[in-house]
C-alpha cells in the first residue's frame, strides 16, 4: 500500500522527535531576527537649545539607509551640511540567516509529515529516501554553521555601529550626547537559537544515517520456490 498510514510512533523516536524540535526552534530563529526593530537616539545641545534626533533601523539591518530625524541640516546653524546616516550594511548576513531558518522550518515540517504518514514508503524505497534525507540534513547542518557564524559576526558589527558617536560635533558650540539604543536582547537570542539549531541538525544526522543502507543493509530478497 502506498497511501497515507498515520503512525504516531516515529514522533516518540529520536528520528521524529528531533525533527519536531528542529521545526520548533527554527521558528524562534527567524522570528527573533526578522522581527526586530530599534532606534539610535542622540541629544544635541547648541546655542542654548536641546534637540533629540533618532535613527530607526530594523531587519535586514541596512544601517546606511537609517537617517537621523529630524534632519540635522536644520540644526545648530547648519553645522551638518547633509543628512546623517548610520554606518554599515549587514543585510546579507541577516537575510542569509533568516532564509536558512525558514527553509529549515519548511523541510523539517515536510520530513516530519513523511515520517508520520508515509514511514512505510520512507523505509521501503530501497534506501533512496533515507539517503536523500541524510544528505539534506548534512547540508542544513553546514548551512546553520555558516549562517549562524556570519550573523553572530554581523550582530557584533551592528552593535559597534549603533554605539558609535555622532560625527561633526565641535565642542563647545555643539555637544552630542548618546541617549540610548534599543536593547538587542532578541538578536542575541537569535544567535543562540542559530547555534542550537546547528546542534540539533548535526545530532539528527546520526539518526537519519541509521535509516540508510550504509547502516541498515537492505533485506535480502525472499528466496523463490525450489525448482522441481
Amino acid at each position: 500500500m502506498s497511501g497515507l498510514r498515520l503512525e504516531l510512533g516515529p514522533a516518540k523516536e529520536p528520528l521524529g522527535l528531533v525533527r519536531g524540535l528542529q521545526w520548533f526552534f527554527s521558528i524562534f530563529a527567524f522570528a527573533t531576527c526578522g522581527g526586530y526593530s530599534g532606534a539610535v537616539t542622540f541629544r544635541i545641545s547648541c546655542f542654548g537649545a536641546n534637540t533629540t534626533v533618532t535613527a530607526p533601523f530594523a531587519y535586514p539591518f541596512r544601517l546606511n539607509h537609517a537617517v537621523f530625524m529630524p534632519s540635522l541640516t536644520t540644526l545648530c546653524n547648519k553645522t551638518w551640511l547633509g543628512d546623517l546616516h548610520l554606518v554599515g550594511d549587514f543585510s546579507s548576513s541577516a537575510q542569509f540567516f533568516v532564509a536558512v531558518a525558514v527553509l529549515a522550518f519548511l523541510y523539517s515540517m515536510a520530513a516530519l509529515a513523511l515520517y508520520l504518514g508515509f514511514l512505510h514508503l520512507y523505509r521501503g524505497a530501497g534506501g533512496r529516501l533515507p539517503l536523500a534525507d541524510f544528505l539534506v540534513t548534512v547540508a542544513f547542518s553546514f548551512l546553520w554553521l555558516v549562517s549562524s557564524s556570519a550573523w553572530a559576526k554581523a550582530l557584533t558589527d551592528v552593535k559597534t555601529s549603533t554605539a558609535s558617536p555622532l560625527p561633526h560635533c565641535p565642542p563647545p558650540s555643539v555637544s552630542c550626547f548618546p541617549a540610548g539604543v534599543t536593547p538587542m536582547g532578541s538578536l542575541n537570542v537569535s544567535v543562540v537559537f542559530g547555534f542550537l539549531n546547528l546542534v540539533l541538525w548535526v545530532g539528527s544526522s546520526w539518526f537519519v544515517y541509521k535509516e540508510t543502507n550504509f547502516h541498515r543493509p537492505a533485506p535480502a530478497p525472499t528466496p523463490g520456490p525450489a525448482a522441481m
Side-chain angles (χ1 to χ4, degrees):
M1 295 293 292
S2 59
L4 174 67
R5 297 181 189 174
L6 183 61
E7 301 178 37
L8 298 181
K12 302 176 184 178
E13 300 175 2
L15 180 68
L17 180 61
V18 176
R19 281 285 185 243
L21 292 175
Q22 291 168 349
W23 173 82
F24 182 74
F25 286 113
S26 62
I27 297 175
F28 285 95
F30 67 73
T32 51
C33 178
Y36 179 85
S37 62
V40 180
T41 304
F42 279 88
R43 188 173 70 255
I44 299 176
S45 176
C46 58
F47 308 117
N50 294 319
T51 306
T52 299
V53 295
T54 301
F57 65 95
Y59 173 85
F61 306 101
R62 294 188 177 95
L63 300 188
N64 54 342
H65 292 178
V67 183
F68 283 97
M69 299 298 293
S71 176
L72 274 70
T73 58
T74 63
L75 303 178
C76 302
N77 196 24
K78 297 186 178 180
T79 298
W80 294 274
L81 299 180
D83 287 328
L84 285 185
H85 300 69
L86 296 178
V87 178
D89 183 351
F90 309 101
S91 58
S92 58
S93 296
Q95 290 175 323
F96 180 39
F97 178 80
V98 170
V100 170
V102 171
L103 291 174
F105 164 78
L106 295 174
Y107 182 79
S108 57
M109 182 171 58
L112 189 58
L114 178 63
Y115 301 157
L116 297 180
F118 300 93
L119 188 64
H120 57 292
L121 292 179
Y122 180 80
R123 288 176 172 169
R128 293 188 299 272
L129 286 178
L131 178 59
D133 192 19
F134 172 71
L135 294 177
V136 173
T137 302
V138 171
F140 266 110
S141 300
F142 176 74
L143 288 174
W144 274 117
L145 172 62
V146 176
S147 64
S148 298
S149 300
W151 172 230
K153 175 60 169 62
L155 178 56
T156 300
D157 294 337
V158 167
K159 293 178 179 179
T160 300
S161 178
T162 54
S164 299
L166 202 64
H168 312 306
C169 296
S173 58
V174 179
S175 299
C176 304
F177 306 97
V181 180
T182 303
M184 300 184 188
S186 65
L187 298 182
N188 295 331
V189 171
S190 71
V191 173
V192 173
F193 277 119
F195 285 105
L196 177 59
N197 275 286
L198 168 63
V199 173
L200 288 173
W201 283 85
V202 170
S204 69
S205 299
W206 167 246
F207 300 116
V208 179
Y209 173 76
K210 291 172 65 176
E211 298 292 328
T212 67
N213 289 341
F214 296 109
H215 184 270
R216 177 187 293 178
T222 304
M228 297 298 294

